[in-house]
Amino acid sequence: MLYMILGRDAEGSLPRRQLAREAHLARLQALADEGRLVLAGPLPLIDAEDPGPAGFSGSLVVAEFSGLDAARNWADADPYLQSGAWLDADVRPFKAVLP
């Protein structure tokens, strides 16, 4: 089943994001390599593809997991959460309708 993980950034998270980015992306790449990643990306804090020093308000991941507990465990171990870049991660079942 698919799950949505919405990581909510802490204020001033950009330096912590930058330090944890490589490890965060490696985990996403592992999901992609397993064919489980639907989409992932950051949420710019301002209306710009590259928000520069303004940073991000969070991140969205939609991926397949064996259940809600597995999705929560994956989110809890994310380097963005562990580094304090994310304040928390909201994990919910997701049903894709389109496309």
Side-chain angles (χ1 to χ4, degrees):
M1 182 165 176
L2 295 178
Y3 293 87
M4 174 220 62
I5 298 168
L6 181 62
R8 188 171 54 107
D9 272 33
E11 190 171 330
S13 65
L14 192 55
R16 290 184 297 272
R17 268 182 166 270
Q18 291 168 334
L19 289 173
R21 186 171 190 265
E22 187 175 326
H24 170 77
L25 291 178
R27 296 180 81 237
L28 292 171
Q29 187 61 55
L31 287 177
D33 292 348
E34 295 168 5
R36 297 170 42 206
L37 184 64
V38 174
L39 64 87
L43 306 170
L45 196 56
I46 60 173
D47 188 14
E49 189 168 324
D50 179 359
F56 302 92
S57 64
S59 302
L60 175 67
V61 176
V62 177
E64 183 180 339
F65 292 93
S66 61
L68 184 57
D69 286 341
R72 284 185 177 140
N73 289 338
W74 189 93
D76 287 345
D78 193 276
Y80 281 175
L81 189 60
Q82 297 296 313
S83 71
W86 287 352
L87 287 174
D88 56 31
D90 184 12
V91 181
R92 300 180 190 198
F94 180 83
K95 182 177 177 179
V97 175
L98 291 172

